[in-house]
Amino acid sequence: QVQLVESGGELVQAGGSLGLSCAASGLTFSSYAMGWFRQAPGKEREFVGTISRSGGYTYYADAVKGRFTISRDNAKNTVYLQMNSLKPEDTAVYYCAAGRAGLPTVQSQYSYWGQGTQVTVSS
């Protein structure tokens, strides 16, 4: 049974930093590209960024480029999302997902999803 478990979400002030983790089990972690998505209240879930299977390539949404960094540790079956210079508009539930090879940006390209972790940025 595949499980993706996000952690690290909390309340943070605007301009601050926060790191999220996503621990995977039940799959060959290094065979999957990993992505982060988010869903704000009343909005559709949107792509945040993705990292290739090896970790050598990343791709980000314009809204977070330069502020967010995705990394992974295949030995620990974990992917990370480091968020800096946080803004109130970054408030959302953040989800990690495991998908096809490459750098998938579309939700349908991901096979497995975590339950999400809440990030709230206060102004």
Side-chain angles (χ1 to χ4, degrees):
Q1 180 183 358
V2 175
Q3 281 194 314
L4 301 177
V5 180
E6 302 94 336
S7 62
E10 63 181 56
L11 173 64
V12 63
Q13 286 191 332
S17 298
L18 190 64
L20 305 182
S21 299
C22 171
S25 60
L27 75 171
T28 305
F29 184 71
S30 59
S31 295
Y32 288 84
M34 296 299 296
W36 286 94
F37 289 77
R38 66 185 182 185
Q39 186 167 21
K43 295 187 177 181
E44 294 186 352
R45 189 158 56 183
E46 65 175 5
F47 170 77
V48 172
T50 184
I51 188 166
S52 62
R53 291 177 295 178
S54 68
Y57 299 93
T58 53
Y59 181 78
Y60 300 94
D62 288 343
V64 306
K65 198 173 297 181
R67 299 188 298 123
F68 290 12
T69 302
I70 299 174
S71 60
R72 66 189 294 164
D73 186 337
N74 285 347
K76 295 183 178 179
N77 287 2
T78 302
V79 61
Y80 306 95
L81 178 64
Q82 178 63 38
M83 304 182 291
N84 298 328
S85 302
L86 282 162
K87 305 174 182 180
E89 51 263 45
D90 294 319
T91 295
V93 177
Y94 283 73
Y95 300 88
C96 70
R100 300 176 187 173
L103 295 170
T105 61
V106 179
Q107 293 185 57
S108 60
Q109 295 174 305
Y110 288 86
S111 302
Y112 304 106
W113 292 82
Q115 82 291 346
T117 186
Q118 176 70 48
V119 172
T120 303
V121 184
S122 64
S123 56

